[in-house]
Amino acid sequence: MNSKCLWVKGTDGIGNRLLSLEYACRYAAKHQYGVYVDWRDGIAMMDQSEVLRIFSIHGVPIHDSPDPASFASTYPQDLRFFTEPDIRSLVTAAPFFSIIPPKYAFWRKISRFNDAYRYHSGVKVVLRNGQHLDGLSEKHDLLCFCCPLPWREPEHFRHVKLGKESIGAVMRENPSLREINDISLHIRNTDKSSPPVKDAILAVLKLLEMNPELKTMHLATDNRAAAQEVISALGDSLDIQMLEIPRDSDPIHLREQTAAGKIEMMTLAVADIHLLASGRYLLFQGNSSFSRVAVAIQSPQSICIDWTSFAKEKGQAAISIKD
């Protein structure tokens, strides 16, 4: 086991977490760290053992319940950054001294202060965003990595994989689900500012006009009204399937309050990402990290289409065939 550890905190929803975890694993591989995944915050309520039941990590060592006090040098020195389940009880993601005009705040030109976490009362440091740990790997054997969403998102995943066993369990519990569909469509219309659902419907209709042989579709959405609108408009043209999940107007990861409920919804979300990624054509929502994870794990033969712009494109500028 590598004696150096990157302690990976989680914030926000599953898409952000997975993109940040992949980024963290790349940092760990580059600087010869092992990783420890700590998603005990109020949104996920998962320790590493629970995370590894529905995801797997490859190419970097995994630490098993490391003791922060056992490391010779830590960043930050305040061990609460490692022991506190929810890191946002210590710091906030608000820009560092953002009220000061840039011309007077010379430090804002230094990359490590970009997206830094401003401390709360009783915490004496400003935590660097995980993207800006820079040369700290040369000085410390335990680093706290926290990054809501990398600026440079991984276009494909090298280290983080969806758990085959958890996906298989969901598929066995839902035997009518097709694993591979002609079209997969994701609509995140709960807490996102996005084009109306009719644009997604228009994108599907345009795709069907170009490819009339397409017959089946997997629809992933946690918004009940969006699901009903899509089925009403496209149900006569396509055989549409969805996972059985509770749908409302609020994001599922914020609606669930118990640890068991959050883990169950996380497991179903992983299956939804897998089904999206398995479609011949993936119509994804460009401003959703959940969608972008599905794009990142799709097969090389997949065709990915951002439906938020595709319906309005004259050509195929919104289509990308993965290399």
Side-chain angles (χ1 to χ4, degrees):
M1 169 58 65
N2 195 313
S3 60
K4 298 167 67 177
C5 178
L6 190 68
W7 192 294
V8 185
K9 288 286 189 177
T11 61
D12 300 326
I14 184 174
N16 289 34
R17 287 171 191 269
L18 289 176
L19 290 166
S20 296
L21 180 56
E22 172 67 23
Y23 191 100
C25 288
R26 293 187 182 193
Y27 182 94
K30 179 179 179 181
H31 297 284
Q32 299 182 324
Y33 276 73
V35 298
Y36 177 71
V37 185
D38 182 3
W39 286 2
R40 295 174 296 151
D41 60 289
I43 293 178
M45 296 184 180
M46 300 170 68
D47 61 22
Q48 178 170 267
S49 64
E50 290 158 339
V51 172
L52 295 181
R53 288 194 186 102
I54 54 178
F55 307 106
S56 59
I57 295 175
H58 305 265
V60 292
I62 301 173
H63 283 266
D64 183 18
S65 301
D67 177 10
S70 68
F71 290 86
S73 178
T74 70
Y75 173 82
Q77 292 183 346
D78 189 337
L79 297 187
R80 287 179 294 173
F81 281 91
F82 307 98
T83 58
E84 172 61 38
D86 197 335
I87 198 168
R88 294 203 177 186
S89 67
L90 302 173
V91 290
T92 178
F96 182 59
F97 293 147
S98 58
I99 60 173
I100 300 178
K103 64 181 180 180
Y104 299 120
F106 62 89
W107 55 80
R108 287 170 62 182
K109 298 180 181 180
I110 304 174
S111 66
R112 70 173 180 267
F113 287 120
N114 290 335
D115 281 352
Y117 289 85
R118 191 169 56 196
Y119 61 85
H120 290 175
S121 176
V123 180
K124 302 302 182 184
V125 299
V126 175
L127 179 67
R128 290 192 196 182
N129 185 286
Q131 298 171 101
H132 309 299
L133 296 180
D134 303 326
L136 291 178
S137 60
E138 302 170 4
K139 304 175 183 178
H140 307 285
D141 52 1
L142 176 62
L143 296 178
C144 180
F145 179 98
C146 187
C147 174
L149 191 64
W151 288 355
R152 295 183 178 180
E153 292 183 4
E155 294 185 359
H156 65 278
F157 279 22
R158 300 173 189 164
H159 301 284
V160 180
K161 309 294 182 183
L162 305 185
K164 293 181 179 179
E165 291 186 8
S166 64
I167 293 171
V170 172
M171 298 301 292
R172 287 191 296 273
E173 291 172 3
N174 299 270
S176 63
L177 285 177
R178 297 177 299 271
E179 189 163 8
I180 299 175
N181 289 270
D182 295 327
I183 303 170
S184 53
L185 170 64
H186 176 237
I187 300 175
R188 176 66 179 275
N189 209 23
T190 47
D191 61 344
K192 294 291 181 184
S193 175
S194 61
V197 175
K198 68 178 183 180
D199 283 6
I201 295 170
L202 288 173
V204 174
L205 290 173
K206 183 175 181 179
L207 184 62
L208 289 174
E209 182 181 353
M210 298 165 60
N211 303 274
E213 74 280 5
L214 304 179
K215 302 298 181 184
T216 61
M217 184 171 80
H218 177 75
L219 172 61
T221 181
D222 55 2
N223 186 288
R224 184 168 54 216
Q228 292 170 344
E229 187 174 348
V230 170
I231 293 172
S232 176
L234 301 173
D236 292 336
S237 303
L238 290 166
D239 183 358
I240 302 174
Q241 70 173 27
M242 294 188 297
L243 272 177
E244 291 296 328
I245 61 173
R247 294 178 172 86
D248 205 336
S249 58
D250 297 320
I252 288 177
H253 65 277
L254 298 179
R255 198 184 320 146
E256 289 292 337
Q257 298 299 318
T258 66
K262 288 177 180 293
I263 293 171
E264 180 183 359
M265 288 301 104
M266 192 78 75
T267 302
L268 290 172
V270 168
D272 238 354
I273 292 173
H274 170 73
L275 291 167
L276 285 171
S278 300
R280 178 182 171 191
Y281 291 90
L282 166 57
L283 275 69
F284 69 98
Q285 184 170 322
N287 71 333
S288 167
S289 56
F290 189 96
S291 266
R292 297 195 300 274
V293 169
V295 172
I297 67 171
Q298 266 203 328
S299 68
Q301 293 76 33
S302 300
I303 299 177
C304 307
I305 304 169
D306 184 351
W307 66 258
T308 63
S309 57
F310 178 63
K312 301 176 183 178
E313 292 287 343
K314 293 182 179 180
Q316 297 190 20
I319 300 179
S320 63
I321 300 177
K322 293 186 69 178
D323 297 326

